[in-house]
Amino acid sequence: MTPTSGTATFATTDTPIGPFTTIVDDHGSVLASGWTATIDDLTPLIHKTLRPTAFTGVKNLGSVSDAVDAYHRGDLGAIDDVPVAQQSGEFLVHAWKILREVPAGEPVTYSEFAALAGRPAAIRGAASACARNAAALFVPCHRVFRIGGALGGFRWGLPAKTWLLAHEEPTSRRGD
């Protein structure tokens, strides 16, 4: 992964579950995102090799902000092609790629996620990938839960995770 330049851009979008802030690098890739109104909650999540030294706030990030808005309005696939830049060890980078392939409305358990990532015994590693995910929504860690149906954790709160999972249920999709 190529380090970003010194400046990143960020914007906050109003969503049904609160403000959602996204930080993008100079290539338009999401470095960090989540349901917060401040980048202070996001910048520590960016890997040190990708972390910008300066941030510029804007009202809209173009296609990235459009995708956030469209997703929350019911176009669940709007986030799928938004580029993401995250860095860590080989397993976590691979696991984040696999998370992007978990379809909306088809959540998996941590055990299933570990198997999808090619390491069925690495359940803790799968949980770690979710916990260390800086690009919430775009890397949909909310689609992973515990065996038995318990939600597990979510950096942005269980009410947000509950809303996202309900929003992605096939019966709740708009236009279906």
Side-chain angles (χ1 to χ4, degrees), residues 10-173:
F10 70 92
T12 301
T13 304
D14 289 327
T15 76
I17 51 177
F20 184 87
T21 300
T22 309
I23 300 173
V24 299
D25 66 14
D26 55 349
H27 303 291
S29 296
V30 173
L31 294 171
S33 55
W35 288 268
T36 179
T38 174
I39 64 169
D40 294 343
D41 295 328
L42 298 172
T43 54
L45 306 177
I46 303 170
H47 192 272
K48 64 183 177 182
T49 63
L50 299 174
R51 193 173 300 141
T53 56
F55 298 87
T56 301
V58 296
K59 289 187 182 265
N60 190 296
L61 295 169
S63 62
V64 175
S65 292
D66 291 347
V68 171
D69 185 51
Y71 170 87
H72 285 89
R73 282 186 287 109
D75 180 359
L76 305 180
I79 58 172
D80 294 348
D81 294 325
V82 174
V84 172
Q86 291 197 90
Q87 185 60 41
S88 190
E90 182 179 333
F91 177 74
L92 289 182
V93 170
H94 175 69
W96 292 326
K97 179 180 179 273
I98 297 301
L99 266 177
R100 295 199 79 185
E101 297 170 4
V102 174
E106 299 179 29
V108 296
T109 65
Y110 288 104
S111 299
E112 291 168 332
F113 174 40
L116 288 170
R119 293 192 185 171
I123 298 167
R124 286 186 185 197
S128 180
C130 292
R132 294 181 57 193
N133 174 29
L137 186 62
F138 303 100
V139 178
C141 57
H142 64 272
R143 295 180 185 158
V144 184
F145 60 93
R146 292 182 178 157
I147 291 175
L151 291 180
F154 190 57
R155 177 186 317 276
W156 307 109
L158 292 183
K161 185 171 184 171
T162 300
W163 187 93
L164 292 164
L165 291 170
H167 181 62
E168 293 182 350
E169 287 179 1
T171 57
S172 71
R173 293 187 190 155

